[in-house]
Amino acid sequence: MTMTSGAFTAATGDGPAPAAAARGRAAEVRVAFEGLMQIRRLTNTDAEDPQAMPALWERHQAVRSVALTLEAAGIAASAADTAGQRTATGYRVGPGEGPGAVQWLGPVGSGAAHEEQDALAGCAGALERAGWTALLYIGPRRRRFLEVEPPAAPAGR
């Protein structure tokens, strides 16, 4: 979500908004996502298109990888203050029943609940273009969320 000891961390929507200036943050995200694609090229060597599916590292770090994918797609992350109150509307990525879950959250009165169907469809599209499977569910209080997982491995793998 922010720079920690000089290391890049993708915005998951659980902490404060990233502190880097917009242009600087965009460059950091671009470089991190390019690195993720390089991991795919180097490790998915038996795939027809190595960049079309998450690498083993991503499968083990699904929350981080999904958050980076969404941020690289230009989708805004939610944010929360130290008391846990939402300060920005956007995605929130966390562990789910599968490797990851994506919610659309915002401050009280922000209208995030009314935006979530379209916003989550945009998130699902970005994730599917990056090789993830994103399934839309309706949870408690009729709030929608995505369960995100890597595609099923082809037979024989």
Side-chain angles (χ1 to χ4, degrees):
M1 172 173 350
T2 59
M3 297 295 285
T4 306
S5 304
F8 173 84
T9 305
T12 62
D14 272 336
R23 177 174 278 148
R25 179 68 183 181
E28 291 172 352
V29 170
R30 186 175 54 257
V31 168
F33 192 73
E34 288 170 1
L36 190 63
M37 292 299 105
Q38 182 67 9
I39 289 170
R40 287 183 179 191
R41 281 191 292 276
L42 294 172
T43 62
N44 288 342
T45 56
D46 58 344
E48 185 175 316
D49 180 1
Q51 290 184 267
M53 61 186 291
L56 183 60
W57 177 88
E58 291 176 86
R59 294 167 188 250
H60 292 293
Q61 302 289 327
V63 170
R64 292 170 60 188
S65 181
V66 166
L68 176 57
T69 299
L70 292 173
E71 193 171 0
I75 301 171
S78 182
D81 63 19
T82 56
Q85 297 297 311
R86 293 279 145 202
T87 60
T89 299
Y91 67 80
R92 179 197 172 269
V93 181
E97 299 248 345
V102 178
Q103 299 171 294
W104 190 260
L105 303 172
V108 174
S110 68
H114 299 290
E115 299 172 5
E116 71 185 4
Q117 184 168 349
D118 291 338
L120 288 173
C123 292
L127 292 165
E128 289 167 356
R129 286 188 296 279
W132 292 93
T133 299
L135 304 170
L136 180 66
Y137 290 97
I138 298 176
R141 292 175 286 211
R142 312 254 335 128
R143 294 297 306 264
R144 291 170 174 81
F145 66 96
L146 299 175
E147 279 289 338
V148 182
E149 56 192 39
R157 283 187 76 188

Short mmCIF file of all heavy atoms in Angstrom, two decimals, residues 1-3 6-10 18-33 68 71-72:
data_model
loop_
_atom_site.label_atom_id
_atom_site.label_comp_id
_atom_site.label_asym_id
_atom_site.label_seq_id
_atom_site.Cartn_x
_atom_site.Cartn_y
_atom_site.Cartn_z
N MET A 1 0.83 -1.17 0.00
CA MET A 1 0.00 0.00 0.00
C MET A 1 0.87 1.23 0.00
O MET A 1 0.57 2.18 -0.68
CB MET A 1 -0.90 -0.07 1.23
CG MET A 1 -1.66 1.17 1.46
SD MET A 1 -2.85 1.03 2.77
CE MET A 1 -2.89 -0.68 3.16
N THR A 2 1.91 1.24 0.76
CA THR A 2 2.81 2.39 0.82
C THR A 2 4.24 1.87 0.74
O THR A 2 4.48 0.69 0.76
CB THR A 2 2.63 3.17 2.14
OG1 THR A 2 2.90 2.29 3.21
CG2 THR A 2 1.25 3.74 2.25
N MET A 3 5.16 2.81 0.71
CA MET A 3 6.56 2.42 0.73
C MET A 3 6.92 2.06 2.16
O MET A 3 6.65 2.79 3.08
CB MET A 3 7.44 3.58 0.26
CG MET A 3 7.20 3.99 -1.18
SD MET A 3 7.62 2.71 -2.34
CE MET A 3 9.38 2.83 -2.31
N GLY A 6 11.64 1.35 1.88
CA GLY A 6 12.09 1.40 0.50
C GLY A 6 11.47 0.35 -0.40
O GLY A 6 11.73 0.33 -1.58
N ALA A 7 10.64 -0.55 0.12
CA ALA A 7 10.03 -1.60 -0.68
C ALA A 7 8.64 -1.16 -1.13
O ALA A 7 7.89 -0.57 -0.37
CB ALA A 7 9.93 -2.88 0.12
N PHE A 8 8.30 -1.49 -2.36
CA PHE A 8 6.98 -1.17 -2.89
C PHE A 8 5.97 -2.16 -2.34
O PHE A 8 6.22 -3.35 -2.27
CB PHE A 8 7.00 -1.26 -4.42
CG PHE A 8 5.63 -1.10 -5.02
CD1 PHE A 8 5.12 0.15 -5.27
CD2 PHE A 8 4.86 -2.22 -5.32
CE1 PHE A 8 3.85 0.30 -5.81
CE2 PHE A 8 3.60 -2.07 -5.86
CZ PHE A 8 3.09 -0.82 -6.10
N THR A 9 4.81 -1.67 -1.98
CA THR A 9 3.70 -2.51 -1.56
C THR A 9 2.45 -2.01 -2.27
O THR A 9 2.14 -0.83 -2.24
CB THR A 9 3.50 -2.44 -0.03
OG1 THR A 9 4.72 -2.78 0.60
CG2 THR A 9 2.43 -3.40 0.42
N ALA A 10 1.74 -2.92 -2.92
CA ALA A 10 0.52 -2.55 -3.63
C ALA A 10 -0.56 -2.13 -2.65
O ALA A 10 -0.62 -2.62 -1.52
CB ALA A 10 0.03 -3.73 -4.47
N PRO A 18 -1.85 5.60 -0.55
CA PRO A 18 -0.41 5.67 -0.78
C PRO A 18 0.09 7.11 -0.70
O PRO A 18 -0.55 8.03 -1.20
CB PRO A 18 -0.25 5.11 -2.19
CG PRO A 18 -1.43 4.20 -2.36
CD PRO A 18 -2.55 4.88 -1.61
N ALA A 19 1.22 7.30 -0.05
CA ALA A 19 1.75 8.64 0.21
C ALA A 19 2.49 9.24 -0.98
O ALA A 19 2.64 10.45 -1.05
CB ALA A 19 2.68 8.60 1.42
N ALA A 20 2.96 8.42 -1.90
CA ALA A 20 3.73 8.95 -3.04
C ALA A 20 2.85 9.85 -3.90
O ALA A 20 1.66 9.63 -4.04
CB ALA A 20 4.27 7.78 -3.88
N ALA A 21 3.46 10.88 -4.47
CA ALA A 21 2.73 11.77 -5.38
C ALA A 21 2.19 10.94 -6.53
O ALA A 21 2.75 9.91 -6.89
CB ALA A 21 3.67 12.85 -5.89
N ALA A 22 1.10 11.38 -7.12
CA ALA A 22 0.40 10.61 -8.15
C ALA A 22 1.33 10.14 -9.27
O ALA A 22 1.32 8.97 -9.64
CB ALA A 22 -0.75 11.42 -8.72
N ARG A 23 2.14 11.02 -9.81
CA ARG A 23 3.03 10.64 -10.92
C ARG A 23 4.07 9.62 -10.44
O ARG A 23 4.33 8.63 -11.10
CB ARG A 23 3.71 11.85 -11.51
CG ARG A 23 4.69 11.48 -12.61
CD ARG A 23 5.26 12.68 -13.30
NE ARG A 23 4.30 13.12 -14.30
CZ ARG A 23 4.11 14.36 -14.67
NH1 ARG A 23 4.83 15.32 -14.14
NH2 ARG A 23 3.24 14.67 -15.59
N GLY A 24 4.64 9.86 -9.25
CA GLY A 24 5.63 8.93 -8.71
C GLY A 24 5.03 7.57 -8.40
O GLY A 24 5.63 6.54 -8.66
N ARG A 25 3.84 7.57 -7.84
CA ARG A 25 3.17 6.31 -7.51
C ARG A 25 2.85 5.55 -8.79
O ARG A 25 3.02 4.33 -8.84
CB ARG A 25 1.90 6.59 -6.70
CG ARG A 25 1.11 5.36 -6.33
CD ARG A 25 1.85 4.50 -5.34
NE ARG A 25 1.09 3.29 -5.06
CZ ARG A 25 1.48 2.37 -4.24
NH1 ARG A 25 2.62 2.49 -3.58
NH2 ARG A 25 0.75 1.31 -4.03
N ALA A 26 2.37 6.23 -9.81
CA ALA A 26 2.06 5.57 -11.08
C ALA A 26 3.30 4.90 -11.65
O ALA A 26 3.22 3.77 -12.16
CB ALA A 26 1.47 6.57 -12.07
N ALA A 27 4.44 5.55 -11.55
CA ALA A 27 5.69 4.96 -12.05
C ALA A 27 6.07 3.73 -11.22
O ALA A 27 6.49 2.71 -11.78
CB ALA A 27 6.81 5.99 -12.01
N GLU A 28 5.91 3.82 -9.90
CA GLU A 28 6.21 2.67 -9.03
C GLU A 28 5.32 1.48 -9.37
O GLU A 28 5.78 0.34 -9.45
CB GLU A 28 6.01 3.04 -7.57
CG GLU A 28 7.01 4.03 -7.02
CD GLU A 28 6.64 4.50 -5.62
OE1 GLU A 28 5.53 4.18 -5.12
OE2 GLU A 28 7.47 5.21 -5.03
N VAL A 29 4.04 1.74 -9.58
CA VAL A 29 3.09 0.68 -9.91
C VAL A 29 3.46 0.06 -11.25
O VAL A 29 3.46 -1.17 -11.40
CB VAL A 29 1.64 1.23 -9.91
CG1 VAL A 29 0.67 0.21 -10.50
CG2 VAL A 29 1.22 1.63 -8.51
N ARG A 30 3.76 0.90 -12.23
CA ARG A 30 4.13 0.40 -13.56
C ARG A 30 5.35 -0.52 -13.48
O ARG A 30 5.36 -1.62 -14.04
CB ARG A 30 4.38 1.56 -14.52
CG ARG A 30 4.62 1.14 -15.96
CD ARG A 30 4.76 2.31 -16.92
NE ARG A 30 5.78 3.27 -16.51
CZ ARG A 30 5.55 4.46 -15.95
NH1 ARG A 30 4.33 4.85 -15.72
NH2 ARG A 30 6.54 5.26 -15.61
N VAL A 31 6.38 -0.10 -12.76
CA VAL A 31 7.60 -0.90 -12.63
C VAL A 31 7.31 -2.22 -11.89
O VAL A 31 7.77 -3.28 -12.30
CB VAL A 31 8.71 -0.10 -11.90
CG1 VAL A 31 9.87 -0.99 -11.49
CG2 VAL A 31 9.19 1.03 -12.80
N ALA A 32 6.51 -2.15 -10.83
CA ALA A 32 6.16 -3.36 -10.08
C ALA A 32 5.37 -4.34 -10.95
O ALA A 32 5.62 -5.54 -10.93
CB ALA A 32 5.37 -3.00 -8.83
N PHE A 33 4.42 -3.82 -11.73
CA PHE A 33 3.62 -4.69 -12.58
C PHE A 33 4.47 -5.29 -13.70
O PHE A 33 4.32 -6.47 -14.04
CB PHE A 33 2.41 -3.93 -13.15
CG PHE A 33 1.42 -4.85 -13.79
CD1 PHE A 33 0.61 -5.67 -13.02
CD2 PHE A 33 1.28 -4.90 -15.17
CE1 PHE A 33 -0.31 -6.53 -13.61
CE2 PHE A 33 0.36 -5.76 -15.77
CZ PHE A 33 -0.43 -6.57 -14.99
N LEU A 68 -1.99 -5.45 -6.83
CA LEU A 68 -1.12 -4.82 -7.82
C LEU A 68 -1.79 -4.80 -9.20
O LEU A 68 -1.73 -3.79 -9.90
CB LEU A 68 0.23 -5.55 -7.90
CG LEU A 68 1.20 -5.04 -8.96
CD1 LEU A 68 1.50 -3.56 -8.78
CD2 LEU A 68 2.48 -5.86 -8.93
N GLU A 71 -4.41 -2.04 -9.13
CA GLU A 71 -3.79 -0.71 -9.12
C GLU A 71 -3.16 -0.40 -10.47
O GLU A 71 -3.27 0.72 -10.98
CB GLU A 71 -2.76 -0.63 -7.99
CG GLU A 71 -2.31 0.77 -7.69
CD GLU A 71 -1.46 0.91 -6.44
OE1 GLU A 71 -1.17 -0.09 -5.75
OE2 GLU A 71 -1.06 2.06 -6.17
N ALA A 72 -2.53 -1.40 -11.08
CA ALA A 72 -1.91 -1.19 -12.40
C ALA A 72 -2.96 -0.91 -13.47
O ALA A 72 -2.68 -0.23 -14.46
CB ALA A 72 -1.07 -2.41 -12.79
#
